[in-house]
Amino acid sequence: QEKLVESGGGLVQPGGSLRLSCAASGFSLDHYSIGWFRQAPGKGREGVSCIVTTDNSTYYADSVKGRFTISMDTGKNIVYLQMTNLKPEDTAVYYCNLHRVFPPLDYWGQGTQVTVSS
């Protein structure tokens, strides 16, 4: 069965670090964009970062560039988001997304909570 499972969220102080994981099962990860999105209370879902499996190109939102790093373990079918120098405004539920243009596919995980607070 196709599944995305996020893990690694939690409570961290400002300036701290967390590593989120997105484990994919039931998919071949060729020709996908795998992205991390986040949604804070009362706000819309925001794109954070993505990696394109065709060539391992990576992209980052301006708000996280230089602080977050996305990577992929192809053998384990896991995409990571290493988050450093976390700020209170990073507090949100973080979602993993698997996207394919052709044939069209768009799949979401259930999310993991990240809270940055002193």
Side-chain angles (χ1 to χ4, degrees):
Q1 182 171 327
E2 298 170 332
K3 184 189 297 184
L4 295 176
V5 179
E6 301 100 328
S7 62
L11 175 64
V12 65
Q13 293 184 342
S17 300
L18 286 172
R19 188 178 72 165
L20 306 184
S21 299
C22 174
S25 60
F27 299 98
S28 170
L29 296 186
D30 289 339
H31 306 290
Y32 282 96
S33 172
I34 305 171
W36 286 97
F37 293 73
R38 66 187 182 186
Q39 187 165 17
K43 302 185 70 175
R45 191 164 295 185
E46 173 192 17
V48 175
S49 180
C50 70
I51 183 167
V52 180
T53 62
T54 303
D55 59 3
N56 292 313
S57 298
T58 58
Y59 303 88
Y60 299 93
D62 289 342
S63 59
V64 307
K65 192 173 183 64
R67 300 189 297 120
F68 292 9
T69 303
I70 191 169
S71 62
M72 178 173 59
D73 186 328
T74 303
K76 295 182 178 180
N77 261 24
I78 299 176
V79 174
Y80 300 99
L81 185 67
Q82 179 67 51
M83 306 185 296
T84 62
N85 192 24
L86 284 160
K87 304 175 180 180
E89 51 263 44
D90 295 318
T91 295
V93 177
Y94 284 70
Y95 298 91
C96 183
N97 171 259
L98 190 67
H99 179 77
R100 186 178 64 201
V101 174
F102 185 83
L105 184 144
D106 203 31
Y107 202 88
W108 293 88
Q110 66 178 355
T112 184
Q113 176 72 49
V114 172
T115 302
V116 185
S117 176
S118 60

